[in-house]
Amino acid sequence: MAFFFDEPSHTFGEYLLIPGYTSPECIPSRVTLRTPLLRFPRGEESPLSLNIPLVSAIMQSVSNDTLAIALAQEGGVSFIFGSQSIPSQAEMVRRVKSHKAGFVTSDSNIRPDQTLSEAAALKEKTGHSTVAVTEDGTPQGKLLGIITSRDFRIGHESASAPVRDYMTPFSKLVFGRDGISLTEANDLIWEHKLNSLPVVREDGTLASMVFRKDYASHQEHPLELLDGAHRYIAGAGINTRDYMERAPALLAAGADVLCLDSSEGFNEWQKKAIADIRGAFGRDVKLGAGNVVDKEGFLFLAEAGADFVKVGIGGGSICITREQKGIGRGQATAVIEVARARDDYFKKTGVYVPICSDGGIVLDYHITLALAMGADFVMLGRYFARFDESPGNKLFLNGNYVKEYWGEGSNRARNWQRYDLGGEKGLQFEEGVDSYVPYAGSLRDNVALTVSKVQHAMCNCGALSIRELQRNAKLTLISQASITEGSFHDVTVKNTSGRMK
């Protein structure tokens, strides 16, 4: 006879936090949301931690390079979608890693014999106003000068004039020698009132560029998530079919962490993929897996070597897996059980494997609930799809601006690999829908508001960190009447804008 759970599974919307004692020291500005992303042994720190507990979903309509940069600036990580060609995904990762590094490999380069019209076209293509003039036009060529948008104007000068006649020659450049520290480079920029500083090797070839705007960006984004070379952290999704070709290309592009993207991860294909990747590329490759909804699924992936485990099946706003196959579990119940399994595994093995709550987040406070229930961080799709930086088109529909948002299991995405059960290739039926979400503006403004809500709620619980929240939080199930009572009622509301995430 089948096994039956005694209790129904619950969603985040069925819980509330009970306030705890708030000390004078417990104020929102002192709350840290730093949280581990990757497994680590007792007594050590995670090899990579998030500064805010938000990552973006592995979806075509959510996680491209533009959103990855914006989220890394705020302290989170994007997992760039894998349902695209390997070269295309690797190029997205490469753009994230080269966008800001303090020391940036120049992506705007030209030969001195090329024309001003070619220089203008290059600036239009890259969006960068500073172009390095190298002997062979490559980012590693011998540096001969710099040309910027201030040095010429098409229409005033001949478009066919050579770049060499308008560039600032190397003899007049202020530059740094390879090996200069970032602090020293920024000091030169400010001392000489420069917008950029080329860094040159002993043989005269261009090593990198340092930009004034990157210093300003760091001041504006104090939580930005950087690697050891001051580049943004980038994640990427892979599947259980072409991982032996996709993983090395993504790693070569600079991906910091990979994640197996699957609607259900308690299977032999994920175990094999983890083993194959570890065997071919070493233990240093960081690899998440999922999704699961119970203790057995977590233990299976933790013992297989996953660096983090994603929790959630069927809870996404565009997901119809439960409707189509009857598979899934209420997200709150799934997180609670898996978190207990994670803690037991830590006690038994001394290895902490972070868990990610993926799906079921409707309102901002659901994030706080997920963290209190044991999640180390949450993965969001609909939330990020609403922002300027997401890939979906912005449309004007029925008097309001919206953005397109479609599921990986929809006919539009046709990401059959995510739902692969080892049979024939192809998507036999949909497990996601094609939809619109309300346009919400910039990622930065919205994430700042969400983070503030989480920090304030944690203070109400007397917690200055996610660990304290998980130790001290008190949660209660609520009735439908309580849910109704918790929103505005028995009044006529003038304006409800700004209430929803």
Side-chain angles (χ1 to χ4, degrees), residues 1 71 98 103 165 293 306:
M1 185 176 178
L71 183 52
S98 64
F103 297 98
D165 291 346
V293 292

Side-chain angles (χ1 to χ4, degrees), residues 129-130 150 189 192-197 210-213:
S129 61
T130 299
R150 294 177 300 180
I189 286 174
H192 295 277
K193 300 179 180 179
L194 306 172
N195 286 324
S196 63
L197 180 80
V210 179
F211 294 94
R212 175 191 289 262
K213 66 179 179 62

